[in-house]
Amino acid sequence: MFGQANVLAAGQANFPPTVEDFYLPSILPWGAHDSYWFTKITAMVWIAVGVLIIFFLATYRNPQLVPTKKQWFAESIYGFVRNNIAVDMIGHAGVRFAPYFTTLFCFVLLTNAFAIIPLFQISPNSHIAFPAILAIISYVLFNYIGIKKHGFVKYFKNSLIPPAPWYILPLLIPIELFSTFIVRPFSLAVRLFANMFAGHMLLLVFTLGGFAMLSANAWLAPVSVLSWVMTIALTFLEFLVICLQAYVFTVLTASYVQGALADEH
């Protein structure tokens, strides 16, 4: 973001920012034509995976009866997801899904947090591809679990045929089909993507807007300062959105798993 601000201040970029600002060039110094896929976004996803693996391996490498600060922190994260998401949404059977929900929650939270971390300042989830992949994984998970428990025929029968009079089933079955197998993964992905995309765009507008006004006219300096103050305020708001969206994504996944396990859903 500040790199874009410096470019704008030098008169080499246009204001306001556009969707093209989300498509970053390759960060590799060689093979630019062959390495277009390895952008800052790709690197952040790899960093997030590496940080989470190293963190949990390090904290549980030598577990203590009286936990260390790192072990307590990791156990607190797992306990929060297990008790407040897995068990609350699914019941005691949700404990076996707690490791996946914890991984999902931590990954979404960390990749969201990149949006306000200096030098990164953009979330991979502001690209629809990453939320879409996460939504597809959750979609495959809850359908697999439902089929495994109930069998293919009974699972789809319970999913598509609600308890209702037979004469309105021709209307309800297509609605259930569309809602369960199309809307669920689509809304799961779009909700996360839209919030992170909008948050990053707002921060860009207020940050670059301050530089744009300062470059256009010195008399607008007080207004440019106000724009940067708004950027700071929006950063705190974005932090709340970052945490909330990680929680919502995990809770919705848990609710879909709960529905798949239910005898009638």
Side-chain angles (χ1 to χ4, degrees), residues 203-216:
L203 291 176
L204 270 179
V205 166
F206 281 95
T207 302
L208 300 184
F211 283 99
M213 288 184 287
L214 192 61
S215 301

Side-chain angles (χ1 to χ4, degrees), residues 9-116:
Q12 299 174 356
N14 296 320
F15 181 83
T18 67
V19 175
E20 297 300 323
D21 292 312
F22 289 80
Y23 295 93
L24 305 179
S26 172
I27 61 175
L28 295 180
W30 65 89
H33 295 292
D34 298 329
S35 57
Y36 64 90
W37 56 272
F38 195 85
T39 65
K40 182 179 177 179
I41 298 292
T42 311
M44 284 190 285
V45 173
W46 288 17
I47 290 171
V49 172
V51 166
L52 292 176
I53 291 174
I54 292 171
F55 171 72
F56 281 103
L57 285 178
T59 53
Y60 282 98
R61 184 177 183 182
N62 186 24
Q64 304 292 324
L65 185 61
V66 178
T68 62
K69 292 182 179 179
K70 292 187 296 183
Q71 183 181 337
W72 172 85
F73 183 58
E75 289 178 350
S76 296
I77 296 173
Y78 176 77
F80 168 77
V81 176
R82 180 194 62 198
N83 298 330
N84 295 281
I85 298 179
V87 174
D88 279 0
M89 295 297 300
I90 303 174
H92 182 71
V95 173
R96 65 190 177 109
F97 302 105
Y100 172 70
F101 294 154
T102 303
T103 303
L104 182 64
F105 175 77
C106 291
F107 180 77
V108 175
L109 181 64
L110 183 53
T111 50
N112 282 355
F114 281 134
I116 58 173

Side-chain angles (χ1 to χ4, degrees), residues 149-171:
K149 178 177 180 180
H150 302 290
F152 185 87
V153 174
K154 184 178 179 181
Y155 171 69
F156 281 94
K157 179 182 177 181
N158 291 342
S159 300
L160 300 178
I161 305 177
W166 64 268
Y167 51 85
I168 62 171
L169 289 181
L171 176 63

